[in-house]
Amino acid sequence: VMRRNPFGMDICCRKGSRSPLQELYNPTQVSLSNTAILHQIRRDQVTDTCRANSVSTRKRRVLTPNDLKHLVVDEDHEMIYCYVPKVACTNWKRVMMVLTGRGKYSDPMEIPANEAHVSSNLKTLNRYSIPEINHRLKNYMKFLFVREPFERLVSAYRNKFTQKYNTSFHKRYGTKIVRRQRKNATQEALRKGDDVKFEEFVAYLIDPHTQREEPFNEHWQTVYSLCHPCHIHYDLIGKYETLEEDSNYVLQLAGVGNYLKFPTYAKSTRTTDEMTTEFFQNISSLHQTQLYEVYKLDFLMFNYSVPSYLKLE
């Protein structure tokens, strides 16, 4: 097996060494084998949930290219990453830019956040032909990162509706939410949409009209609908709660763990469980129940228990 020089930034081409997929299912290092068991348990949980909800068998729909636009491909390391907004996806996109940039970038944190979200900087699976897509889905290691669904939802709300700079969200969604959910809204609120309350946001999400009108925005769309885990077999499911370990495990499997670490930084503004509990204080038990139904598959599939603060009917 050819080992590359960790200091020459040839993060590119892994020919001659084992693929991440081989290393995951047939680890050569003892340290990797214990973690492999944990990920097997997570994979089984997804499979069991899909089966129990007969999502995979009865309604086996064919995925369209549009379903694959969240799957970022790294040709050199034979990996596919499905990004989920509000689950460290900016940093993961930065890391993917280092991995696929063929030496153009070496430090993920030197890549500006907005640059990480420019779609042309990363290649997604929907840009390939059908045979190429099938080949990659079969032979590349596919991974995603998930987060407690309501914590992710509160994080999306805080980011998109309470920050003054997010005017595009206020205009596109805020005005619609205010118009639909607020009685006697002022003309200014209808025009700006920049003061959406969390209760109004929840009412908008559970409103059947919303679901019929258009798909949810990716920031509050379910992981189930963004990454299609019942139709695409993910080899590795990382969790936001164990972000550092899981991310570095992926990089180890890719053979770049010696010289590429997942960026960590303490964000004091991070949405926590306590914060989420507070946001749900003012949501009626009926609305909590309806909202849980919307995100139920994400809770079950990724093994998140029903939050203790919920008053389900």
Side-chain angles (χ1 to χ4, degrees), residues 144-179:
L144 77 162
F145 276 77
V146 299
R147 182 178 186 177
E148 201 280 336
F150 286 170
E151 200 179 285
R152 177 176 164 242
L153 191 67
V154 168
S155 176
Y157 166 77
R158 289 178 64 219
N159 179 246
K160 299 303 167 195
F161 295 107
T162 68
Q163 304 292 340
K164 289 296 171 212
Y165 60 79
N166 265 322
T167 46
S168 61
F169 268 83
H170 304 156
K171 282 263 185 291
R172 173 145 192 224
Y173 296 100
T175 53
K176 193 187 290 181
I177 294 171
V178 169
R179 189 173 67 243

Side-chain angles (χ1 to χ4, degrees), residues 4 14 20 77 79 99 141 249-257:
R4 284 144 308 144
R14 56 170 309 116
H77 303 89
M79 298 197 301
L99 290 171
M141 183 177 84
Y249 178 56
V250 173
L251 297 175
Q252 258 182 301
L253 293 170
V256 299

Side-chain angles (χ1 to χ4, degrees), residues 9-45:
M9 279 302 288
D10 56 345
I11 279 192
C12 115
C13 322
R14 56 170 309 116
K15 300 302 158 238
S17 56
R18 288 157 57 87
S19 74
L21 209 53
Q22 291 168 321
E23 199 54 66
L24 174 68
Y25 290 107
N26 202 350
T28 48
Q29 298 173 42
V30 178
S31 62
L32 293 182
S33 48
N34 298 337
T35 318
I37 295 164
L38 165 75
H39 287 280
Q40 179 64 57
I41 294 167
R42 289 181 186 173
R43 282 195 297 276
D44 291 345
Q45 177 78 21

